[in-house]
């Protein structure tokens, strides 16, 4: 189970995604209008899902090119560690979950 989690973490480039989320949270923190905890959760969750899905899509689309570069040969898609079925299911879930998450959290925002 931890091997699969590590592979999906590599597919979504979890370290890069974490930096993107932290950047979004920094922008949220510097907002002059105070936000709610629900808005903070929405920003962090939505940014995490969107960035993870974008990174996973990038790795899927560029796998043939990554296989040719030495620095990219250890990526999950190049080594075929995730089967195409699981790859497509995870991408679909990430891409579909983000709009639903946005709708849920936009309804929780408090506008002034």
């Amino acid at each position: 189970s931890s091997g699969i989690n590590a592979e999906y973490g590599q597919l979504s480039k979890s370290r890069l995604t974490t930096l993107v989320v932290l950047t979004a949270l920094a922008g949220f923190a510097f907002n002059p209008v105070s936000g709610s905890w629900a808005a903070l959760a929405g920003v962090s969750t939505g940014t995490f899902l969107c960035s993870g899905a974008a990174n996973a899509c990038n790795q899927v689309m560029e796998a043939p090119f990554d296989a040719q570069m030495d620095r990219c040969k250890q990526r999950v898609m190049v080594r075929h560690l995730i089967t195409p079925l699981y790859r497509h299911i995870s991408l679909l879930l990430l891409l579909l979950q983000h709009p639903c998450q946005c709708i849920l959290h936009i309804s929780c925002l408090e506008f002034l």
Side-chain angles (χ1 to χ4, degrees):
S1 175
S2 65
I4 286 263
N5 291 336
E7 291 166 1
Y8 280 110
Q10 290 176 7
L11 182 65
S12 66
K13 297 183 181 178
S14 60
R15 293 185 305 180
L16 176 62
T17 297
T18 301
L19 291 174
V20 171
V21 170
L22 290 174
T23 303
L25 291 178
F28 186 85
F30 285 113
N31 184 5
V33 179
S34 63
S36 65
W37 288 107
L40 179 72
V43 165
S44 59
T45 305
T47 303
F48 176 79
L49 292 172
C50 188
S51 177
N55 288 327
C57 284
N58 178 273
Q59 285 203 47
V60 168
M61 292 183 336
E62 294 189 356
F65 303 110
D66 290 344
Q68 299 172 16
M69 293 185 281
D70 289 334
R71 68 178 180 88
C72 300
K73 286 184 179 179
Q74 295 302 315
R75 291 190 176 165
V76 176
M77 296 308 304
V78 174
R79 293 186 296 162
H80 303 288
L81 295 177
I82 297 177
T83 63
L85 176 64
Y86 285 124
R87 176 185 68 211
H88 285 76
I89 289 173
S90 65
L91 283 175
L92 185 64
L93 288 176
L94 279 173
L95 291 171
L96 290 178
Q97 189 173 4
H98 177 65
C100 296
Q101 197 76 20
C102 286
I103 292 168
L104 174 70
H105 288 294
I106 285 174
S107 65
C108 295
L109 291 176
E110 299 172 3
F111 295 101
L112 296 178

